[in-house]
């Protein structure tokens, strides 16, 4: 069974840092693109970042560029999101989502999603 | 990276069809055939329903279909069922980043 499990969320003061993790299982993690998507409770989905299967290609939303860093450890089947200089506007549930298999040539954000981890930035 | 434009709400009676639009620009929806649609029930993670404008992942009923014309993509749900009541989000590749729509709440009357 394909499974994604996020962790690392919590309460943090503005200006602080947090690292989110996403543990993948049930598929060959090293073959897939991966994404982070966030959602303020009761609001819409906001795409945050993506990373290629070999980590050579990364992209960010303008709102997080320069503050967030996406990375992955294919040996540990884990995706990361390092979040620095956090602001109250970063408060949201953060989902990791599986992208397409690099061999498929397909393009989409997520055919499998985790349950999300809540980040609250507040003083 | 501006959000794609979706109507906030849509509705239909069981058995009817409903279409949800998603309007972007030539830099996203109009520039690539990489529009996806996600369904999200309250308190649940999103589910991919359509990708690359018209393709359905395995297990998605063929009542769900997608199309695109210019800078506007559409999701059509035919033969509405109660379980289709949910929020629907479009997303599009934008040449590196991706962008989502604001979401449409579909109500089955």
């Amino acid at each position: 069974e394909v499974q994604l499990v996020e962790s690392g969320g919590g309460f943090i003061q503005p200006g602080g840092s947090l690292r989110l993790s996403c543990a993948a299982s049930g598929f060959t993690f090293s073959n897939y693109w991966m994404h982070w998507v966030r959602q303020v409770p009761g609001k819409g989905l906001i795409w945050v970042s993506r990373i290629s299967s070999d980590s050579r290609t990364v992209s960010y939303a303008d709102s997080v560029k320069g503050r967030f860093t996406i990375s992955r450890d294919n040996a540990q089947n884990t995706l990361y999101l390092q979040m620095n200089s956090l602001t109250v506007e970063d408060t949201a549930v953060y989902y990791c989502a599986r992208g397409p298999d690099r061999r498929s040539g397909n393009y989409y954000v997520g055919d499998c999603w985790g349950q999300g981890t809540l980040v609250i930035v507040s003083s | 990276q501006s959000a794609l434009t979706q109507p906030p709400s849509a509705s239909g009676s069981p058995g009817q069809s409903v279409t949800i639009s998603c309007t972007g620009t030539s830099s996203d929806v109009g520039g690539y055939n990489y529009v996806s649609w996600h369904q999200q029930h309250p308190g649940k993670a999103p589910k991919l329903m359509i990708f690359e404008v018209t393709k359905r992942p395995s297990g998605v009923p063929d009542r769900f279909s997608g199309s695109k014309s210019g800078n506007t993509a559409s999701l059509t749900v035919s033969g509405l069922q109660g379980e289709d009541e949910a929020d629907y989000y479009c997303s599009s590749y934008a040449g590196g980043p991706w962008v989502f729509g604001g979401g449409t709440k579909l109500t089955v009357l």
Side-chain angles (χ1 to χ4, degrees), chain A residues 39 50 59 61-62 106-107 110, chain B residues 1 38 40 46 48 52 96 98:
Chain A
Q39 184 174 37
R50 68 164 182 163
S59 303
D62 287 344
N106 292 329
Y107 276 74
Chain B
Q1 298 166 11
H38 287 86
Q40 186 180 34
L48 183 66
E52 293 177 11
W98 285 73

Side-chain angles (χ1 to χ4, degrees), chain A residues 7-116:
Chain A
S7 60
F11 187 95
I12 189 78
Q13 291 189 330
S17 298
L18 213 54
R19 188 176 84 155
L20 306 182
S21 299
C22 171
S25 60
F27 65 101
T28 305
F29 180 73
S30 60
N31 285 343
Y32 286 79
W33 286 78
M34 295 296 296
H35 297 257
W36 286 100
V37 177
R38 67 186 181 185
Q39 184 174 37
V40 175
K43 302 296 184 181
L45 300 172
I46 303 292
W47 179 84
V48 173
S49 183
R50 68 164 182 163
I51 187 168
S52 60
S53 58
D54 60 6
S55 302
R56 294 177 70 176
T57 300
V58 297
S59 303
Y60 298 95
D62 287 344
S63 58
V64 307
K65 200 174 296 183
R67 300 188 300 121
F68 290 12
T69 302
I70 191 171
S71 63
R72 63 191 296 161
D73 183 339
N74 285 344
Q76 298 294 321
N77 294 331
T78 304
L79 174 73
Y80 300 101
L81 185 68
Q82 177 66 43
M83 305 187 297
N84 298 332
S85 303
L86 286 162
T87 73
V88 295
E89 286 72 35
D90 295 316
T91 295
V93 173
Y94 284 74
Y95 293 100
C96 66
R98 189 178 77 169
D101 185 317
R102 61 176 173 79
R103 301 163 297 179
S104 69
N106 292 329
Y107 276 74
Y108 52 80
V109 171
D111 64 352
C112 178
W113 297 62
Q115 84 290 348

Side-chain angles (χ1 to χ4, degrees), chain B residues 35-107:
Chain B
V35 176
S36 301
W37 290 91
H38 287 86
Q39 176 192 67
Q40 186 180 34
H41 288 107
K44 301 294 186 181
K47 176 185 177 183
L48 183 66
M49 306 301 285
I50 296 286
F51 69 98
E52 293 177 11
V53 180
T54 61
K55 298 178 181 178
R56 274 189 311 277
S58 174
V60 173
D62 60 7
R63 302 185 294 103
F64 291 85
S65 62
S67 64
K68 192 188 86 166
S69 177
N71 295 337
T72 298
S74 299
L75 172 72
T76 297
V77 186
S78 305
L80 271 175
Q81 300 181 4
E83 67 213 47
D84 300 332
E85 183 161 297
D87 293 324
Y88 290 84
Y89 296 91
C90 62
S91 65
S92 175
Y93 181 66
W98 285 73
V99 61
F100 276 92
T104 298
K105 182 176 181 60
L106 175 59
T107 301

